[in-house]
């Protein structure tokens, strides 16, 4: 099973600040990583697929990048609606899709 | 508008069974791969399993924790997906989401249905 480790567990920032979320894979997964946003009481929403491609309707302030087994989701300038939990997910091992443990972005 | 609406959740005793349904609309269901993803209370996301489209064989894959206990099926005439859960354990307690799977990524999600397994 491919393990995804997200850090930090919690990120405390103010609106307008830049958020940098990390996801590290336990083995090489090419660029097969997706990012999701989940707000309390809601289903997750796809933000980024294949490391750097924004899903339909996702604002340009969300971007993704990759370096080896390290993946980053960046929110360039936090809007009030961006405070949520973010999960990464790998699709390299399609028989055992796995998610990271999540990063909560909270208002400082 | 794409919609996925789960139903069938509830309280069941350990060892019991439950069948969840997911009604889909707003896209061509017959061509879609659909997955179930669950989330235990206050925890992260866990993939449960998928069913491929009929043209792709209508085959299923299930995650190790549920293999042999959960079965996924579909009725394309009703645009509905099913998750039959047998031999339920307390650790199966979670919100169960159905999701449309494209390239092993989940682009649309339902609102989820809560399954609680009591001891």
């Amino acid at each position: 099973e491919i393990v995804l480790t997200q850090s930090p567990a919690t990120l405390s920032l103010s609106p307008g600040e830049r958020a940098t979320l990390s996801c590290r894979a336990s083995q090489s997964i090419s660029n097969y990583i997706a990012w999701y946003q989940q707000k309390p009481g809601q289903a997750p929403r796809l933000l980024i697929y294949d490391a750097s491609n924004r899903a339909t309707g996702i604002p340009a302030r969300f971007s993704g990048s990759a370096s080896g087994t390290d993946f980053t989701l960046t929110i360039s300038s936090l809007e009030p609606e961006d405070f949520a939990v973010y999960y990464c997910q790998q699709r390299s091992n399609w028989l055992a899709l796995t998610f990271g443990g999540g990063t909560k972005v909270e208002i400082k | 508008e794409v919609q996925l609406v789960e139903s069938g959740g509830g309280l069941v005793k350990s060892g019991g069974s439950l069948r969840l349904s997911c009604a889909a609309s707003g896209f061509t269901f017959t061509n879609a791969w659909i997955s179930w993803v669950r989330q235990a209370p206050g925890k992260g996301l866990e993939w449960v399993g998928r069913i491929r489209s009929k043209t792709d064989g209508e085959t299923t894959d299930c995650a190790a924790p549920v293999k042999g206990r959960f079965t996924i099926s579909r009725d394309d005439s009703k645009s509905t997906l099913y998750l039959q859960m047998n031999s339920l354990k307390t650790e199966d307690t979670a919100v169960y989401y159905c999701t449309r799977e494209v390239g092993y990524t989940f682009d649309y999600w339902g609102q989820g249905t809560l399954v609680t397994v009591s001891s």
Side-chain angles (χ1 to χ4, degrees):
Chain A
E1 177 180 295
I2 297 172
V3 177
L4 299 176
T5 303
Q6 290 190 242
S7 61
T10 304
L11 199 51
S12 299
L13 296 168
S14 301
E17 289 194 295
R18 182 184 189 89
T20 303
L21 289 66
S22 295
C23 176
R24 174 168 289 175
S26 60
Q27 64 188 72
S28 175
I29 59 170
S30 187
N31 280 350
Y32 296 149
I33 203 84
W35 290 92
Y36 301 84
Q37 176 194 67
Q38 187 178 33
K39 297 178 183 179
Q42 295 186 18
R45 176 176 71 144
L46 176 66
L47 299 175
I48 300 283
Y49 63 94
D50 290 350
S52 60
N53 299 288
R54 275 190 302 278
T56 303
I58 302 303
R61 64 181 182 273
F62 292 92
S63 64
S65 62
S67 176
T69 57
D70 293 328
F71 301 88
T72 302
L73 174 69
T74 302
I75 311 171
S76 59
S77 177
L78 283 164
E79 296 287 339
E81 61 268 28
D82 298 336
F83 292 92
V85 180
Y86 293 82
Y87 294 96
C88 56
Q89 174 243 324
Q90 64 79 23
R91 69 176 186 92
S92 176
N93 181 356
W94 49 266
L95 268 177
L97 301 177
T98 50
F99 293 85
T103 290
K104 182 180 181 180
V105 178
E106 65 175 24
I107 299 176
K108 188 173 181 181
Chain B
E1 179 195 6
V2 172
Q3 280 201 315
L4 296 162
V5 180
E6 303 91 339
S7 61
L11 177 64
V12 62
K13 288 190 174 180
S14 181
S17 297
L18 206 58
R19 189 177 83 154
L20 306 184
S21 300
C22 171
S25 61
F27 63 98
T28 306
F29 184 78
T30 52
N31 293 341
W33 291 25
I34 306 290
S35 262
W36 290 93
V37 175
R38 68 185 180 182
Q39 186 169 35
K43 302 297 184 184
L45 301 167
E46 181 184 24
W47 177 71
V48 172
R50 73 166 64 84
I51 186 165
R52 296 174 178 82
S53 63
K54 192 168 187 175
T55 54
D56 288 322
E58 213 168 304
T59 51
T60 61
D61 300 309
C62 282
V66 307
K67 214 166 196 174
R69 300 188 297 122
F70 289 13
T71 303
I72 302 172
S73 60
R74 64 192 295 161
D75 185 340
D76 287 354
S77 69
K78 296 180 180 178
S79 294
T80 299
L81 178 79
Y82 302 100
L83 178 65
Q84 177 67 43
M85 303 185 292
N86 298 330
S87 303
L88 281 161
K89 305 175 182 180
T90 55
E91 52 263 42
D92 294 320
T93 293
V95 173
Y96 284 74
Y97 296 100
C98 69
T99 75
R100 191 177 76 168
E101 185 180 320
V102 177
Y104 306 107
T105 299
F106 311 111
D107 65 347
Y108 288 99
W109 298 64
Q111 280 305 111
T113 187
L114 176 63
V115 172
T116 304
V117 184
S118 67
S119 54

